[in-house]
Amino acid sequence: MDKQEHAALESLLKEDFYENCPGCKLDRQKELQRGLPIKQVLIIWIIVLATALTISSLFPFLYFMIRDFHVAKREEDIGYYAGYIGSSYMLGRALTSVIWGAIADKFGRKPVIIIGCAAVVIFNTLFGLSTNFWMAISMRFLLGSLNGLLGPIKAYACELVREEHQSLGLSAVSTAWGTGLIIGPALGGFLAQPAEKFPAIFSSNSIFGRFPYFLPCLIISLLALPVAIACFWIPESLHTHNSEKISSQISYDVLESASPRSTDKVDLKEGSETTSKYSLFKNWPLMSSIIVYCVFSLHDMAYTEIFSLWAVSPRRLGGLSYSTQDVGVVLAISGVGLLVFQSSLYPLVERIIGPIMVSRIAGIVSIPLLTSYHYIGMLSGIALSILLNCASLVKNVLSISIVTGLFILQNRAVHQRGAANGIAMTLMSLFKAAGPAGGGALFSWAEKRQDAGFLPGNQIVFFILNIIEVVGVLMTFKPFLVERRR
């Protein structure tokens, strides 16, 4: 491209720049940046982690919390009530995700992120102070309702970095999400019931003795507090102007490789597509990836609920008789392995074989792995510890690989990312709300059929989880799952 052509393109791009628009300012900064966007990826990672820690931090101690509330008449019924509390967060999020997505598209990603982090600080703390079953459900429901950033943050992750780094930005979302889903339960397992575990530090008459599940909630809230404050200084990515000109997000990448003549024919057409108000529900590449995402989300939440209940339930009912601290160790080891894989290997694998193939292979490998859980549970001692840690690590790596691939497909399929991710979060949250409730009910039912002739005890649990996984894998094939070609 000669100097005259370059000057013409620069002039065109300047016309599309609005001085008072935060989105335009961010676009200009992105184009001036060279190298990997480490700072931006770190911002995304910290925000998502602060939110994700709350989602499953309760699972290691939920069994004991329900027991202490004295709402279950029999020990085998604890799983039912645990499922209700686990589902209340997702139900609240399902009812408000589209609203938060619309707010993010109208007023910006930043306000939604700040409110979501603040909700974690307030309602997660109050959950730890719950004195009965209904207070616990209410606090989790309010936390899910007001924490609406997990949909818009995916749009923000794409908008905060250049297009060639979007997979890295979305990988940061899923990595932090997965890490939070692992470290959260680890914190819950280590820090719950501190007066029993650390009587020299925490008195039984202290607030942590009277509220044995308050400490892990308090620690997570204190971690989220500085994040909420720091979010006041993060850049806004939403464009606050209405322009019929070429979108600056697409113009640099396309214009720099095009001649002036082809620019008129190609870029203006793509720009008009960006601003068009086509129906998201008619966008099959988007909707197919969301539906597959929902199926795997149902599986993941049911698995998370069941794994913790299975680990802490007594041996006579088919469990492992683990303490909350034992569960915390398993999940902490899984979290470290997950972090290493997602930050180093996943982007490379995704570039080589693509997001659909990554999700498909991960789903297929998960099936025999889940089948092995029943047989791992028959072991004891060091053999049980080693194999359970290995299986848990691999299972969580596979689950997050699936989710990351589907994240990428969703964000490649649409330009209105805030609204699209709002739809995705609503549907996913409904499935995730069904996951803990269904998983808890399934687990309680399985505990009552230890002597059944067909798939007794926990065998039926892992069999049904595998059925859901098989359905998800089958849906990754054409013509159901379609990737939008850029």
Side-chain angles (χ1 to χ4, degrees), residues 292-304 428 430-436 438-439 465 468:
V292 179
Y293 180 32
C294 288
V295 173
F296 282 113
S297 294
L298 171 66
H299 174 276
D300 289 346
M301 285 304 292
Y303 166 80
T304 302
M428 181 202 69
L430 287 172
F431 278 74
K432 283 197 169 187
L465 285 177
I468 300 173

Short mmCIF file of all heavy atoms in Angstrom, two decimals, residues 292-304 428 430-436 438-439 465 468:
data_model
loop_
_atom_site.label_atom_id
_atom_site.label_comp_id
_atom_site.label_asym_id
_atom_site.label_seq_id
_atom_site.Cartn_x
_atom_site.Cartn_y
_atom_site.Cartn_z
N VAL A 292 -25.92 -25.95 22.75
CA VAL A 292 -24.91 -26.94 23.14
C VAL A 292 -24.26 -26.53 24.47
O VAL A 292 -24.02 -27.36 25.35
CB VAL A 292 -23.85 -27.09 22.03
CG1 VAL A 292 -22.79 -28.11 22.46
CG2 VAL A 292 -24.49 -27.54 20.73
N TYR A 293 -24.00 -25.24 24.59
CA TYR A 293 -23.44 -24.68 25.83
C TYR A 293 -24.35 -24.99 27.01
O TYR A 293 -23.88 -25.36 28.10
CB TYR A 293 -23.29 -23.19 25.59
CG TYR A 293 -22.72 -22.35 26.71
CD1 TYR A 293 -21.79 -22.83 27.61
CD2 TYR A 293 -23.12 -21.01 26.84
CE1 TYR A 293 -21.27 -22.03 28.60
CE2 TYR A 293 -22.60 -20.20 27.83
CZ TYR A 293 -21.68 -20.71 28.72
OH TYR A 293 -21.18 -19.92 29.70
N CYS A 294 -25.66 -24.88 26.82
CA CYS A 294 -26.62 -25.14 27.90
C CYS A 294 -26.58 -26.61 28.34
O CYS A 294 -26.66 -26.90 29.53
CB CYS A 294 -28.03 -24.77 27.44
SG CYS A 294 -28.32 -22.99 27.32
N VAL A 295 -26.48 -27.51 27.37
CA VAL A 295 -26.44 -28.93 27.71
C VAL A 295 -25.21 -29.26 28.55
O VAL A 295 -25.30 -29.94 29.59
CB VAL A 295 -26.46 -29.79 26.43
CG1 VAL A 295 -26.25 -31.27 26.76
CG2 VAL A 295 -27.79 -29.61 25.69
N PHE A 296 -24.06 -28.76 28.12
CA PHE A 296 -22.85 -29.01 28.89
C PHE A 296 -22.86 -28.29 30.24
O PHE A 296 -22.28 -28.78 31.22
CB PHE A 296 -21.61 -28.61 28.08
CG PHE A 296 -21.23 -29.61 27.03
CD1 PHE A 296 -21.33 -29.29 25.68
CD2 PHE A 296 -20.78 -30.87 27.37
CE1 PHE A 296 -20.98 -30.21 24.70
CE2 PHE A 296 -20.43 -31.81 26.40
CZ PHE A 296 -20.53 -31.47 25.05
N SER A 297 -23.53 -27.14 30.31
CA SER A 297 -23.65 -26.42 31.58
C SER A 297 -24.49 -27.21 32.57
O SER A 297 -24.18 -27.26 33.77
CB SER A 297 -24.27 -25.04 31.35
OG SER A 297 -23.42 -24.21 30.59
N LEU A 298 -25.58 -27.80 32.07
CA LEU A 298 -26.40 -28.67 32.92
C LEU A 298 -25.56 -29.80 33.49
O LEU A 298 -25.61 -30.10 34.70
CB LEU A 298 -27.56 -29.23 32.10
CG LEU A 298 -28.41 -30.33 32.76
CD1 LEU A 298 -29.16 -29.77 33.96
CD2 LEU A 298 -29.38 -30.94 31.75
N HIS A 299 -24.77 -30.41 32.63
CA HIS A 299 -23.91 -31.52 33.07
C HIS A 299 -22.90 -31.05 34.11
O HIS A 299 -22.70 -31.69 35.15
CB HIS A 299 -23.19 -32.11 31.86
CG HIS A 299 -22.18 -33.16 32.22
ND1 HIS A 299 -20.88 -32.85 32.60
CD2 HIS A 299 -22.27 -34.51 32.27
CE1 HIS A 299 -20.23 -33.95 32.87
NE2 HIS A 299 -21.04 -34.97 32.67
N ASP A 300 -22.24 -29.91 33.84
CA ASP A 300 -21.18 -29.45 34.73
C ASP A 300 -21.68 -29.11 36.13
O ASP A 300 -21.04 -29.42 37.13
CB ASP A 300 -20.48 -28.22 34.13
CG ASP A 300 -19.64 -28.59 32.91
OD1 ASP A 300 -19.39 -29.80 32.70
OD2 ASP A 300 -19.23 -27.67 32.17
N MET A 301 -22.84 -28.43 36.21
CA MET A 301 -23.37 -28.06 37.51
C MET A 301 -23.87 -29.28 38.27
O MET A 301 -23.71 -29.38 39.49
CB MET A 301 -24.48 -27.03 37.38
CG MET A 301 -23.98 -25.63 37.04
SD MET A 301 -22.78 -24.98 38.23
CE MET A 301 -23.80 -24.76 39.67
N ALA A 302 -24.50 -30.22 37.56
CA ALA A 302 -24.93 -31.46 38.22
C ALA A 302 -23.71 -32.22 38.72
O ALA A 302 -23.71 -32.75 39.84
CB ALA A 302 -25.74 -32.31 37.24
N TYR A 303 -22.66 -32.27 37.91
CA TYR A 303 -21.43 -32.96 38.32
C TYR A 303 -20.81 -32.30 39.55
O TYR A 303 -20.39 -32.98 40.50
CB TYR A 303 -20.42 -32.96 37.17
CG TYR A 303 -19.02 -33.34 37.61
CD1 TYR A 303 -18.66 -34.68 37.80
CD2 TYR A 303 -18.06 -32.35 37.86
CE1 TYR A 303 -17.38 -35.02 38.23
CE2 TYR A 303 -16.79 -32.70 38.29
CZ TYR A 303 -16.45 -34.02 38.46
OH TYR A 303 -15.19 -34.36 38.90
N THR A 304 -20.75 -30.97 39.56
CA THR A 304 -20.15 -30.25 40.69
C THR A 304 -20.91 -30.54 41.98
O THR A 304 -20.31 -30.77 43.03
CB THR A 304 -20.15 -28.74 40.41
OG1 THR A 304 -19.43 -28.48 39.20
CG2 THR A 304 -19.50 -27.97 41.54
N MET A 428 -28.48 -20.54 29.80
CA MET A 428 -27.52 -21.34 30.53
C MET A 428 -27.87 -21.40 32.01
O MET A 428 -27.74 -22.45 32.65
CB MET A 428 -26.12 -20.77 30.36
CG MET A 428 -25.04 -21.56 31.07
SD MET A 428 -23.57 -20.58 31.40
CE MET A 428 -24.21 -19.45 32.64
N LEU A 430 -30.80 -21.16 33.39
CA LEU A 430 -31.94 -22.05 33.61
C LEU A 430 -31.47 -23.51 33.67
O LEU A 430 -31.90 -24.29 34.53
CB LEU A 430 -32.96 -21.87 32.48
CG LEU A 430 -33.78 -20.58 32.52
CD1 LEU A 430 -34.60 -20.45 31.24
CD2 LEU A 430 -34.67 -20.54 33.74
N PHE A 431 -30.57 -23.87 32.76
CA PHE A 431 -30.04 -25.24 32.77
C PHE A 431 -29.18 -25.47 34.00
O PHE A 431 -29.21 -26.56 34.58
CB PHE A 431 -29.23 -25.50 31.49
CG PHE A 431 -30.08 -25.87 30.31
CD1 PHE A 431 -30.84 -24.93 29.64
CD2 PHE A 431 -30.12 -27.18 29.86
CE1 PHE A 431 -31.62 -25.27 28.54
CE2 PHE A 431 -30.90 -27.54 28.77
CZ PHE A 431 -31.65 -26.58 28.12
N LYS A 432 -28.39 -24.45 34.37
CA LYS A 432 -27.55 -24.60 35.56
C LYS A 432 -28.37 -24.61 36.84
O LYS A 432 -27.95 -25.18 37.84
CB LYS A 432 -26.51 -23.48 35.60
CG LYS A 432 -25.36 -23.70 34.64
CD LYS A 432 -24.17 -22.83 34.99
CE LYS A 432 -22.95 -23.25 34.20
NZ LYS A 432 -21.72 -22.55 34.60
N ALA A 433 -29.52 -23.96 36.82
CA ALA A 433 -30.41 -24.05 37.98
C ALA A 433 -30.97 -25.45 38.11
O ALA A 433 -31.15 -25.97 39.22
CB ALA A 433 -31.55 -23.03 37.85
N ALA A 434 -31.25 -26.08 36.97
CA ALA A 434 -31.75 -27.46 37.00
C ALA A 434 -30.66 -28.44 37.42
O ALA A 434 -30.95 -29.49 38.00
CB ALA A 434 -32.31 -27.84 35.63
N GLY A 435 -29.40 -28.08 37.14
CA GLY A 435 -28.29 -28.99 37.43
C GLY A 435 -28.16 -29.37 38.89
O GLY A 435 -28.21 -30.56 39.23
N PRO A 436 -27.98 -28.40 39.82
CA PRO A 436 -27.88 -28.77 41.23
C PRO A 436 -29.13 -29.41 41.80
O PRO A 436 -29.05 -30.36 42.58
CB PRO A 436 -27.59 -27.43 41.92
CG PRO A 436 -27.01 -26.56 40.86
CD PRO A 436 -27.70 -26.98 39.60
N GLY A 438 -31.48 -31.11 40.12
CA GLY A 438 -31.57 -32.47 39.59
C GLY A 438 -30.47 -33.36 40.13
O GLY A 438 -30.71 -34.54 40.44
N GLY A 439 -29.25 -32.81 40.24
CA GLY A 439 -28.15 -33.60 40.77
C GLY A 439 -28.36 -34.00 42.21
O GLY A 439 -28.10 -35.15 42.60
N LEU A 465 -25.19 -38.93 34.24
CA LEU A 465 -24.30 -37.84 33.84
C LEU A 465 -23.70 -38.11 32.47
O LEU A 465 -23.56 -37.20 31.64
CB LEU A 465 -23.20 -37.65 34.88
CG LEU A 465 -23.56 -36.97 36.19
CD1 LEU A 465 -22.35 -36.93 37.12
CD2 LEU A 465 -24.09 -35.55 35.96
N ILE A 468 -26.14 -37.34 29.57
CA ILE A 468 -26.16 -35.90 29.24
C ILE A 468 -24.93 -35.53 28.43
O ILE A 468 -25.02 -34.76 27.45
CB ILE A 468 -26.23 -35.07 30.53
CG1 ILE A 468 -27.49 -35.41 31.33
CG2 ILE A 468 -26.20 -33.57 30.21
CD1 ILE A 468 -27.54 -34.75 32.71
#
